[in-house]
Amino acid sequence: LYLHSPARILSKLLIALNAGAEPNQTTPSLVTWPIYWDNEPDGSGVPANLISVYDTQGIDKGREMVTNERATYEGFQVRVRASDKEQGYAKTQAIAVLLDQIYQRTVSIGTSSYTIQSVMRTSMTPQGREVGQTGRRVWFVNGLITLRMD
């Protein structure tokens, strides 16, 4: 069992790999491409361009024959929101390429340490414009990760 959600672990790794930045709670508008997990703030002072990471349905692969441990692929979704279509598409592509390169990367959250053993990207989907007045564009990158708590 993990002490942190796979979305939080992956968001920390994306920040460490410079896909975006840690959100500034005091002055959010000062951060370029903040990365949130499990929420996507909106409103005055929040940048139009941001990234949010969510947990999704994973896959239980049963037990390993040798170790008898459960083999689970944890599901995730990276959501990219942007005011400009070209800029948003480029950021989404960059994240997709970055996810494809992740292998045996360690992430620390507080006193907990995790290894993201691998990432399997399953789709990159444009979602079009947000509903409402903003007109911002949205893309999803979905996939599965294998994790180990160290």
Side-chain angles (χ1 to χ4, degrees):
L1 296 175
Y2 311 121
L3 298 177
H4 301 91
S5 78
R8 184 166 186 202
I9 297 165
L10 184 58
S11 69
K12 288 292 187 186
L13 181 58
L14 290 174
I15 290 167
L17 296 174
N18 296 315
E22 190 80 44
N24 181 329
Q25 303 301 328
T26 308
T27 317
S29 61
L30 296 180
V31 178
T32 303
W33 291 106
I35 298 179
Y36 296 90
W37 65 275
D38 200 37
N39 77 345
E40 187 173 284
D42 201 4
S44 178
V46 177
N49 298 345
L50 58 78
I51 300 159
S52 47
V53 185
Y54 297 93
D55 294 304
T56 63
Q57 180 67 42
I59 298 173
D60 185 341
K61 299 293 282 184
R63 294 197 177 274
E64 298 285 343
M65 290 185 80
V66 176
T67 64
N68 199 32
E69 293 179 12
R70 301 244 20 120
T72 305
Y73 297 105
E74 305 292 346
F76 70 87
Q77 179 178 82
V78 177
R79 187 178 191 268
V80 177
R81 182 180 83 187
S83 58
D84 176 75
K85 182 177 182 178
E86 301 303 324
Q87 190 178 24
Y89 179 78
K91 178 55 82 173
T92 306
Q93 282 281 56
I95 289 171
V97 168
L98 189 63
L99 289 169
D100 291 343
Q101 297 171 355
I102 294 172
Y103 177 72
Q104 299 292 343
R105 296 299 300 252
T106 301
V107 178
S108 294
I109 302 174
T111 59
S112 301
S113 182
Y114 303 90
T115 298
I116 297 179
Q117 297 171 317
S118 66
V119 176
M120 179 174 49
R121 184 167 48 97
T122 58
S123 66
M124 186 180 114
T125 311
Q127 295 298 302
R129 292 182 183 272
E130 280 185 319
V131 176
Q133 301 291 323
T134 68
R136 296 176 295 209
R137 305 288 182 144
V138 177
W139 292 261
F140 294 156
V141 179
N142 296 297
L144 300 165
I145 61 175
T146 53
L147 285 172
R148 180 184 75 230
M149 188 169 178
D150 299 328

